[in-house]
Every structure is written in structure tokens, then in C-alpha cells.
mmCIF file of all heavy atoms in Angstrom:
data_model
loop_
_atom_site.group_PDB
_atom_site.id
_atom_site.type_symbol
_atom_site.label_atom_id
_atom_site.label_comp_id
_atom_site.label_asym_id
_atom_site.label_seq_id
_atom_site.Cartn_x
_atom_site.Cartn_y
_atom_site.Cartn_z
ATOM 1 N N ASP A 15 4.468 17.221 6.551
ATOM 2 C CA ASP A 15 4.854 15.863 6.829
ATOM 3 C C ASP A 15 3.582 14.995 6.991
ATOM 4 O O ASP A 15 2.468 15.443 7.311
ATOM 5 C CB ASP A 15 5.599 15.786 8.238
ATOM 6 C CG ASP A 15 6.467 14.575 8.433
ATOM 7 O OD1 ASP A 15 6.409 13.653 7.489
ATOM 8 O OD2 ASP A 15 7.096 14.416 9.474
ATOM 9 N N VAL A 16 3.725 13.679 6.638
ATOM 10 C CA VAL A 16 2.739 12.665 6.821
ATOM 11 C C VAL A 16 3.379 11.438 7.462
ATOM 12 O O VAL A 16 4.521 11.047 7.009
ATOM 13 C CB VAL A 16 2.060 12.220 5.450
ATOM 14 C CG1 VAL A 16 1.110 11.056 5.655
ATOM 15 C CG2 VAL A 16 1.365 13.409 4.843
ATOM 16 N N LEU A 17 2.768 10.925 8.505
ATOM 17 C CA LEU A 17 3.434 9.796 9.209
ATOM 18 C C LEU A 17 3.160 8.437 8.475
ATOM 19 O O LEU A 17 4.128 7.703 8.268
ATOM 20 C CB LEU A 17 2.863 9.727 10.663
ATOM 21 C CG LEU A 17 3.030 10.957 11.514
ATOM 22 C CD1 LEU A 17 2.588 10.621 12.943
ATOM 23 C CD2 LEU A 17 4.502 11.416 11.590
ATOM 24 N N PHE A 18 1.905 8.295 7.989
ATOM 25 C CA PHE A 18 1.545 7.045 7.362
ATOM 26 C C PHE A 18 0.701 7.322 6.164
ATOM 27 O O PHE A 18 -0.236 8.115 6.203
ATOM 28 C CB PHE A 18 0.736 6.118 8.295
ATOM 29 C CG PHE A 18 1.419 5.723 9.619
ATOM 30 C CD1 PHE A 18 1.123 6.407 10.747
ATOM 31 C CD2 PHE A 18 2.320 4.690 9.626
ATOM 32 C CE1 PHE A 18 1.703 6.062 11.917
ATOM 33 C CE2 PHE A 18 2.879 4.347 10.810
ATOM 34 C CZ PHE A 18 2.608 5.003 11.969
ATOM 35 N N PHE A 19 1.120 6.680 5.053
ATOM 36 C CA PHE A 19 0.271 6.615 3.842
ATOM 37 C C PHE A 19 -0.358 5.197 3.741
ATOM 38 O O PHE A 19 0.419 4.259 3.773
ATOM 39 C CB PHE A 19 1.026 6.864 2.615
ATOM 40 C CG PHE A 19 1.272 8.398 2.340
ATOM 41 C CD1 PHE A 19 2.474 8.961 2.653
ATOM 42 C CD2 PHE A 19 0.364 9.147 1.697
ATOM 43 C CE1 PHE A 19 2.742 10.315 2.517
ATOM 44 C CE2 PHE A 19 0.603 10.510 1.457
ATOM 45 C CZ PHE A 19 1.808 11.062 1.872
ATOM 46 N N CYS A 20 -1.631 5.158 3.667
ATOM 47 C CA CYS A 20 -2.390 3.880 3.634
ATOM 48 C C CYS A 20 -3.020 3.789 2.283
ATOM 49 O O CYS A 20 -3.849 4.572 1.844
ATOM 50 C CB CYS A 20 -3.449 3.844 4.713
ATOM 51 S SG CYS A 20 -2.812 4.204 6.319
ATOM 52 N N VAL A 21 -2.543 2.784 1.479
ATOM 53 C CA VAL A 21 -2.872 2.783 0.063
ATOM 54 C C VAL A 21 -3.153 1.356 -0.390
ATOM 55 O O VAL A 21 -2.822 0.356 0.244
ATOM 56 C CB VAL A 21 -1.732 3.292 -0.763
ATOM 57 C CG1 VAL A 21 -1.447 4.754 -0.451
ATOM 58 C CG2 VAL A 21 -0.426 2.481 -0.626
ATOM 59 N N ASP A 22 -3.753 1.197 -1.540
ATOM 60 C CA ASP A 22 -3.903 -0.030 -2.216
ATOM 61 C C ASP A 22 -2.669 -0.197 -3.129
ATOM 62 O O ASP A 22 -1.891 0.714 -3.292
ATOM 63 C CB ASP A 22 -5.160 -0.071 -3.086
ATOM 64 C CG ASP A 22 -5.464 -1.383 -3.664
ATOM 65 O OD1 ASP A 22 -4.826 -2.395 -3.205
ATOM 66 O OD2 ASP A 22 -6.284 -1.532 -4.583
ATOM 67 N N GLY A 23 -2.529 -1.380 -3.706
ATOM 68 C CA GLY A 23 -1.336 -1.626 -4.528
ATOM 69 C C GLY A 23 -1.358 -0.866 -5.807
ATOM 70 O O GLY A 23 -2.429 -0.885 -6.494
ATOM 71 N N LEU A 24 -0.286 -0.208 -6.175
ATOM 72 C CA LEU A 24 -0.196 0.487 -7.485
ATOM 73 C C LEU A 24 1.235 0.591 -7.875
ATOM 74 O O LEU A 24 2.053 1.057 -7.106
ATOM 75 C CB LEU A 24 -0.787 1.907 -7.393
ATOM 76 C CG LEU A 24 -0.536 2.787 -8.631
ATOM 77 C CD1 LEU A 24 -1.383 2.315 -9.774
ATOM 78 C CD2 LEU A 24 -0.935 4.251 -8.274
ATOM 79 N N PRO A 25 1.653 0.111 -9.001
ATOM 80 C CA PRO A 25 3.035 0.196 -9.412
ATOM 81 C C PRO A 25 3.466 1.642 -9.428
ATOM 82 O O PRO A 25 2.808 2.533 -9.989
ATOM 83 C CB PRO A 25 3.024 -0.402 -10.845
ATOM 84 C CG PRO A 25 1.832 -1.295 -10.886
ATOM 85 C CD PRO A 25 0.809 -0.661 -10.020
ATOM 86 N N GLY A 26 4.588 1.923 -8.775
ATOM 87 C CA GLY A 26 5.125 3.251 -8.745
ATOM 88 C C GLY A 26 4.610 4.123 -7.622
ATOM 89 O O GLY A 26 5.051 5.243 -7.386
ATOM 90 N N PHE A 27 3.567 3.597 -6.880
ATOM 91 C CA PHE A 27 2.994 4.324 -5.793
ATOM 92 C C PHE A 27 4.039 4.631 -4.702
ATOM 93 O O PHE A 27 4.131 5.787 -4.223
ATOM 94 C CB PHE A 27 1.835 3.532 -5.189
ATOM 95 C CG PHE A 27 0.664 4.371 -4.765
ATOM 96 C CD1 PHE A 27 -0.648 3.817 -4.665
ATOM 97 C CD2 PHE A 27 0.812 5.691 -4.378
ATOM 98 C CE1 PHE A 27 -1.684 4.568 -4.278
ATOM 99 C CE2 PHE A 27 -0.269 6.488 -3.988
ATOM 100 C CZ PHE A 27 -1.542 5.896 -3.944
ATOM 101 N N LYS A 28 4.734 3.652 -4.379
ATOM 102 C CA LYS A 28 5.742 3.742 -3.300
ATOM 103 C C LYS A 28 6.838 4.789 -3.647
ATOM 104 O O LYS A 28 7.228 5.630 -2.852
ATOM 105 C CB LYS A 28 6.436 2.349 -3.033
ATOM 106 C CG LYS A 28 7.425 2.379 -1.974
ATOM 107 C CD LYS A 28 7.963 0.951 -1.777
ATOM 108 C CE LYS A 28 9.076 0.896 -0.722
ATOM 109 N NZ LYS A 28 9.596 -0.473 -0.492
ATOM 110 N N GLU A 29 7.258 4.730 -4.900
ATOM 111 C CA GLU A 29 8.294 5.640 -5.401
ATOM 112 C C GLU A 29 7.751 7.095 -5.303
ATOM 113 O O GLU A 29 8.543 8.009 -4.976
ATOM 114 C CB GLU A 29 8.746 5.309 -6.772
ATOM 115 C CG GLU A 29 9.561 3.956 -6.893
ATOM 116 C CD GLU A 29 8.669 2.745 -6.689
ATOM 117 O OE1 GLU A 29 7.456 2.821 -6.864
ATOM 118 O OE2 GLU A 29 9.305 1.659 -6.496
ATOM 119 N N ALA A 30 6.499 7.294 -5.713
ATOM 120 C CA ALA A 30 5.948 8.640 -5.739
ATOM 121 C C ALA A 30 5.888 9.156 -4.306
ATOM 122 O O ALA A 30 6.245 10.331 -4.058
ATOM 123 C CB ALA A 30 4.525 8.565 -6.335
ATOM 124 N N ILE A 31 5.462 8.346 -3.365
ATOM 125 C CA ILE A 31 5.371 8.816 -1.962
ATOM 126 C C ILE A 31 6.765 9.138 -1.403
ATOM 127 O O ILE A 31 7.008 10.182 -0.814
ATOM 128 C CB ILE A 31 4.689 7.734 -1.072
ATOM 129 C CG1 ILE A 31 3.224 7.652 -1.454
ATOM 130 C CG2 ILE A 31 4.831 8.122 0.391
ATOM 131 C CD1 ILE A 31 2.494 6.454 -0.799
ATOM 132 N N GLN A 32 7.747 8.296 -1.684
ATOM 133 C CA GLN A 32 9.086 8.449 -1.135
ATOM 134 C C GLN A 32 9.751 9.664 -1.757
ATOM 135 O O GLN A 32 10.611 10.281 -1.110
ATOM 136 C CB GLN A 32 9.865 7.205 -1.359
ATOM 137 C CG GLN A 32 9.463 6.056 -0.460
ATOM 138 C CD GLN A 32 10.298 4.741 -0.744
ATOM 139 O OE1 GLN A 32 10.850 4.601 -1.824
ATOM 140 N NE2 GLN A 32 10.298 3.887 0.245
ATOM 141 N N ALA A 33 9.355 10.022 -2.945
ATOM 142 C CA ALA A 33 9.993 11.205 -3.628
ATOM 143 C C ALA A 33 9.536 12.481 -2.968
ATOM 144 O O ALA A 33 10.288 13.442 -2.962
ATOM 145 C CB ALA A 33 9.602 11.161 -5.102
ATOM 146 N N VAL A 34 8.325 12.525 -2.385
ATOM 147 C CA VAL A 34 7.782 13.718 -1.807
ATOM 148 C C VAL A 34 7.855 13.738 -0.350
ATOM 149 O O VAL A 34 8.170 14.771 0.294
ATOM 150 C CB VAL A 34 6.308 13.948 -2.310
ATOM 151 C CG1 VAL A 34 5.767 15.280 -1.760
ATOM 152 C CG2 VAL A 34 6.208 13.982 -3.806
ATOM 153 N N TYR A 35 7.509 12.613 0.308
ATOM 154 C CA TYR A 35 7.552 12.500 1.755
ATOM 155 C C TYR A 35 8.456 11.273 2.158
ATOM 156 O O TYR A 35 7.930 10.183 2.463
ATOM 157 C CB TYR A 35 6.137 12.269 2.278
ATOM 158 C CG TYR A 35 5.224 13.488 2.106
ATOM 159 C CD1 TYR A 35 4.355 13.577 1.130
ATOM 160 C CD2 TYR A 35 5.412 14.646 2.955
ATOM 161 C CE1 TYR A 35 3.556 14.680 0.926
ATOM 162 C CE2 TYR A 35 4.648 15.720 2.777
ATOM 163 C CZ TYR A 35 3.684 15.805 1.754
ATOM 164 O OH TYR A 35 2.907 16.865 1.531
ATOM 165 N N PRO A 36 9.770 11.409 2.066
ATOM 166 C CA PRO A 36 10.670 10.253 2.255
ATOM 167 C C PRO A 36 10.598 9.654 3.604
ATOM 168 O O PRO A 36 10.914 8.525 3.797
ATOM 169 C CB PRO A 36 12.073 10.894 1.954
ATOM 170 C CG PRO A 36 11.890 12.366 2.189
ATOM 171 C CD PRO A 36 10.449 12.697 1.729
ATOM 172 N N GLN A 37 10.199 10.402 4.650
ATOM 173 C CA GLN A 37 10.148 9.805 6.040
ATOM 174 C C GLN A 37 8.878 9.061 6.300
ATOM 175 O O GLN A 37 8.729 8.389 7.321
ATOM 176 C CB GLN A 37 10.268 10.912 7.030
ATOM 177 C CG GLN A 37 11.657 11.575 7.134
ATOM 178 C CD GLN A 37 11.740 12.601 8.239
ATOM 179 O OE1 GLN A 37 11.217 13.629 8.157
ATOM 180 N NE2 GLN A 37 12.384 12.184 9.338
ATOM 181 N N ALA A 38 7.846 9.203 5.384
ATOM 182 C CA ALA A 38 6.552 8.586 5.650
ATOM 183 C C ALA A 38 6.646 7.069 5.604
ATOM 184 O O ALA A 38 7.355 6.507 4.716
ATOM 185 C CB ALA A 38 5.510 9.116 4.703
ATOM 186 N N GLN A 39 5.895 6.364 6.380
ATOM 187 C CA GLN A 39 5.677 4.899 6.290
ATOM 188 C C GLN A 39 4.566 4.604 5.384
ATOM 189 O O GLN A 39 3.522 5.251 5.360
ATOM 190 C CB GLN A 39 5.508 4.275 7.683
ATOM 191 C CG GLN A 39 6.745 4.456 8.622
ATOM 192 C CD GLN A 39 6.744 3.459 9.739
ATOM 193 O OE1 GLN A 39 6.330 2.333 9.561
ATOM 194 N NE2 GLN A 39 7.200 3.847 10.836
ATOM 195 N N ILE A 40 4.745 3.531 4.639
ATOM 196 C CA ILE A 40 3.703 3.151 3.649
ATOM 197 C C ILE A 40 3.084 1.845 4.120
ATOM 198 O O ILE A 40 3.776 0.857 4.494
ATOM 199 C CB ILE A 40 4.306 2.909 2.234
ATOM 200 C CG1 ILE A 40 4.915 4.269 1.782
ATOM 201 C CG2 ILE A 40 3.196 2.442 1.289
ATOM 202 C CD1 ILE A 40 5.682 4.078 0.504
ATOM 203 N N GLN A 41 1.741 1.826 4.184
ATOM 204 C CA GLN A 41 1.052 0.583 4.599
ATOM 205 C C GLN A 41 0.072 0.162 3.479
ATOM 206 O O GLN A 41 -0.870 0.886 3.176
ATOM 207 C CB GLN A 41 0.237 0.898 5.893
ATOM 208 C CG GLN A 41 -0.677 -0.262 6.322
ATOM 209 C CD GLN A 41 0.153 -1.516 6.717
ATOM 210 O OE1 GLN A 41 1.066 -1.365 7.522
ATOM 211 N NE2 GLN A 41 -0.180 -2.669 6.149
ATOM 212 N N ARG A 42 0.386 -0.963 2.962
ATOM 213 C CA ARG A 42 -0.586 -1.555 1.956
ATOM 214 C C ARG A 42 -1.793 -2.094 2.643
ATOM 215 O O ARG A 42 -1.728 -2.616 3.738
ATOM 216 C CB ARG A 42 0.117 -2.723 1.214
ATOM 217 C CG ARG A 42 1.086 -2.275 0.130
ATOM 218 C CD ARG A 42 0.398 -1.901 -1.183
ATOM 219 N NE ARG A 42 -0.295 -3.051 -1.797
ATOM 220 C CZ ARG A 42 0.184 -3.931 -2.562
ATOM 221 N NH1 ARG A 42 1.468 -3.855 -2.900
ATOM 222 N NH2 ARG A 42 -0.519 -4.859 -3.070
ATOM 223 N N CYS A 43 -2.941 -1.909 2.093
ATOM 224 C CA CYS A 43 -4.206 -2.312 2.674
ATOM 225 C C CYS A 43 -4.227 -3.911 2.807
ATOM 226 O O CYS A 43 -4.146 -4.583 1.787
ATOM 227 C CB CYS A 43 -5.350 -1.894 1.807
ATOM 228 S SG CYS A 43 -6.945 -2.485 2.431
ATOM 229 N N VAL A 44 -4.301 -4.333 4.017
ATOM 230 C CA VAL A 44 -4.367 -5.800 4.302
ATOM 231 C C VAL A 44 -5.575 -6.448 3.725
ATOM 232 O O VAL A 44 -5.485 -7.598 3.203
ATOM 233 C CB VAL A 44 -4.305 -6.031 5.848
ATOM 234 C CG1 VAL A 44 -4.479 -7.508 6.142
ATOM 235 C CG2 VAL A 44 -2.956 -5.560 6.407
ATOM 236 N N ILE A 45 -6.664 -5.758 3.741
ATOM 237 C CA ILE A 45 -7.941 -6.280 3.244
ATOM 238 C C ILE A 45 -7.826 -6.576 1.703
ATOM 239 O O ILE A 45 -8.217 -7.572 1.148
ATOM 240 C CB ILE A 45 -9.105 -5.401 3.502
ATOM 241 C CG1 ILE A 45 -9.292 -5.152 5.013
ATOM 242 C CG2 ILE A 45 -10.404 -5.956 2.892
ATOM 243 C CD1 ILE A 45 -9.509 -6.426 5.771
ATOM 244 N N HIS A 46 -7.213 -5.550 0.991
ATOM 245 C CA HIS A 46 -7.033 -5.747 -0.445
ATOM 246 C C HIS A 46 -6.044 -6.902 -0.714
ATOM 247 O O HIS A 46 -6.193 -7.628 -1.667
ATOM 248 C CB HIS A 46 -6.442 -4.477 -1.060
ATOM 249 C CG HIS A 46 -7.481 -3.461 -1.346
ATOM 250 N ND1 HIS A 46 -7.810 -2.430 -0.569
ATOM 251 C CD2 HIS A 46 -8.308 -3.357 -2.462
ATOM 252 C CE1 HIS A 46 -8.757 -1.694 -1.127
ATOM 253 N NE2 HIS A 46 -9.093 -2.223 -2.283
ATOM 254 N N MET A 47 -5.042 -7.012 0.083
ATOM 255 C CA MET A 47 -4.084 -8.096 -0.060
ATOM 256 C C MET A 47 -4.848 -9.431 0.098
ATOM 257 O O MET A 47 -4.536 -10.428 -0.668
ATOM 258 C CB MET A 47 -2.934 -7.960 0.953
ATOM 259 C CG MET A 47 -2.009 -6.864 0.734
ATOM 260 S SD MET A 47 -0.935 -7.091 -0.723
ATOM 261 C CE MET A 47 0.021 -8.479 -0.158
ATOM 262 N N LEU A 48 -5.675 -9.547 1.071
ATOM 263 C CA LEU A 48 -6.435 -10.785 1.255
ATOM 264 C C LEU A 48 -7.267 -11.081 0.122
ATOM 265 O O LEU A 48 -7.345 -12.204 -0.406
ATOM 266 C CB LEU A 48 -7.262 -10.656 2.520
ATOM 267 C CG LEU A 48 -6.498 -10.763 3.921
ATOM 268 C CD1 LEU A 48 -7.438 -10.418 5.026
ATOM 269 C CD2 LEU A 48 -5.945 -12.160 4.086
ATOM 270 N N ARG A 49 -7.992 -10.082 -0.393
ATOM 271 C CA ARG A 49 -8.854 -10.267 -1.565
ATOM 272 C C ARG A 49 -8.056 -10.730 -2.829
ATOM 273 O O ARG A 49 -8.481 -11.597 -3.538
ATOM 274 C CB ARG A 49 -9.589 -8.938 -1.883
ATOM 275 C CG ARG A 49 -10.605 -8.535 -0.930
ATOM 276 C CD ARG A 49 -11.179 -7.233 -1.260
ATOM 277 N NE ARG A 49 -12.135 -6.699 -0.244
ATOM 278 C CZ ARG A 49 -12.509 -5.423 -0.108
ATOM 279 N NH1 ARG A 49 -12.052 -4.556 -0.974
ATOM 280 N NH2 ARG A 49 -13.356 -5.054 0.794
ATOM 281 N N ASN A 50 -6.888 -10.133 -2.926
ATOM 282 C CA ASN A 50 -6.035 -10.531 -4.125
ATOM 283 C C ASN A 50 -5.605 -12.006 -3.942
ATOM 284 O O ASN A 50 -5.521 -12.750 -4.953
ATOM 285 C CB ASN A 50 -4.726 -9.725 -4.128
ATOM 286 C CG ASN A 50 -5.126 -8.256 -4.581
ATOM 287 O OD1 ASN A 50 -6.108 -7.985 -5.206
ATOM 288 N ND2 ASN A 50 -4.172 -7.330 -4.255
ATOM 289 N N SER A 51 -5.349 -12.428 -2.743
ATOM 290 C CA SER A 51 -4.946 -13.838 -2.499
ATOM 291 C C SER A 51 -6.108 -14.789 -2.644
ATOM 292 O O SER A 51 -5.971 -15.885 -3.289
ATOM 293 C CB SER A 51 -4.379 -13.996 -1.072
ATOM 294 O OG SER A 51 -3.166 -13.351 -0.953
ATOM 295 N N PHE A 52 -7.284 -14.346 -2.234
ATOM 296 C CA PHE A 52 -8.458 -15.242 -2.310
ATOM 297 C C PHE A 52 -8.869 -15.565 -3.743
ATOM 298 O O PHE A 52 -9.489 -16.610 -3.989
ATOM 299 C CB PHE A 52 -9.624 -14.543 -1.574
ATOM 300 C CG PHE A 52 -9.462 -14.494 -0.097
ATOM 301 C CD1 PHE A 52 -10.276 -13.666 0.691
ATOM 302 C CD2 PHE A 52 -8.438 -15.253 0.578
ATOM 303 C CE1 PHE A 52 -10.127 -13.591 2.044
ATOM 304 C CE2 PHE A 52 -8.347 -15.216 1.927
ATOM 305 C CZ PHE A 52 -9.131 -14.280 2.657
ATOM 306 N N GLN A 53 -8.542 -14.642 -4.709
ATOM 307 C CA GLN A 53 -8.929 -14.948 -6.085
ATOM 308 C C GLN A 53 -8.153 -16.100 -6.673
ATOM 309 O O GLN A 53 -8.604 -16.665 -7.684
ATOM 310 C CB GLN A 53 -8.703 -13.683 -6.943
ATOM 311 C CG GLN A 53 -7.336 -13.210 -7.123
ATOM 312 C CD GLN A 53 -7.249 -11.987 -7.919
ATOM 313 O OE1 GLN A 53 -8.155 -11.573 -8.625
ATOM 314 N NE2 GLN A 53 -6.068 -11.322 -7.907
ATOM 315 N N TYR A 54 -7.110 -16.544 -5.964
ATOM 316 C CA TYR A 54 -6.283 -17.733 -6.524
ATOM 317 C C TYR A 54 -6.766 -19.010 -5.774
ATOM 318 O O TYR A 54 -6.197 -20.067 -6.097
ATOM 319 C CB TYR A 54 -4.848 -17.470 -6.300
ATOM 320 C CG TYR A 54 -4.286 -16.323 -7.032
ATOM 321 C CD1 TYR A 54 -3.866 -15.171 -6.319
ATOM 322 C CD2 TYR A 54 -4.131 -16.376 -8.402
ATOM 323 C CE1 TYR A 54 -3.344 -14.118 -7.005
ATOM 324 C CE2 TYR A 54 -3.615 -15.271 -9.118
ATOM 325 C CZ TYR A 54 -3.230 -14.130 -8.399
ATOM 326 O OH TYR A 54 -2.700 -13.066 -9.073
ATOM 327 N N VAL A 55 -7.703 -18.855 -4.823
ATOM 328 C CA VAL A 55 -8.097 -20.033 -3.992
ATOM 329 C C VAL A 55 -9.433 -20.540 -4.433
ATOM 330 O O VAL A 55 -10.332 -19.798 -4.608
ATOM 331 C CB VAL A 55 -8.074 -19.621 -2.504
ATOM 332 C CG1 VAL A 55 -8.483 -20.829 -1.596
ATOM 333 C CG2 VAL A 55 -6.715 -19.141 -2.067
ATOM 334 N N ASN A 56 -9.507 -21.870 -4.533
ATOM 335 C CA ASN A 56 -10.770 -22.510 -4.870
ATOM 336 C C ASN A 56 -11.781 -22.264 -3.816
ATOM 337 O O ASN A 56 -11.436 -22.237 -2.639
ATOM 338 C CB ASN A 56 -10.548 -23.997 -5.022
ATOM 339 C CG ASN A 56 -11.763 -24.686 -5.660
ATOM 340 O OD1 ASN A 56 -12.808 -24.872 -5.002
ATOM 341 N ND2 ASN A 56 -11.621 -25.217 -6.867
#
């Protein structure tokens, strides 16, 4: 068992985790999310 998977964004990542560890919670990296948003900001 794994309680939390902490990952960056990747298509299909969530499905892969849920297929093997369906009870685990998935946490996208907030810092990466911010960086992704900042690239659209002047």
C-alpha cells in the first residue's frame, strides 16, 4: 500500500497509479502547477 503519490503532471499517470494502488491519493506538485501557470503571464 501507498497512502500518497506525489507527482508532476503526466498524461495517464493517474490511471497507472489507480490501476495498481486504487486506494492511494494522488497529489500533483503545486510548485509545478505554479510554474506552468507563470509561463502564460507577462
Side-chain angles (χ1 to χ4, degrees):
D15 202 358
V16 175
L17 303 184
F18 301 98
F19 279 97
C20 309
V21 299
D22 188 13
L24 170 70
F27 218 154
K28 181 178 179 180
E29 290 75 16
I31 292 171
Q32 289 178 337
V34 183
Y35 294 102
Q37 288 185 288
Q39 295 200 36
I40 299 170
Q41 175 65 52
R42 282 281 297 274
C43 176
V44 172
I45 302 300
H46 276 97
M47 290 290 294
L48 287 170
R49 290 174 185 163
N50 291 339
S51 294
F52 291 166
Q53 66 182 344
Y54 298 108
V55 179
N56 190 290

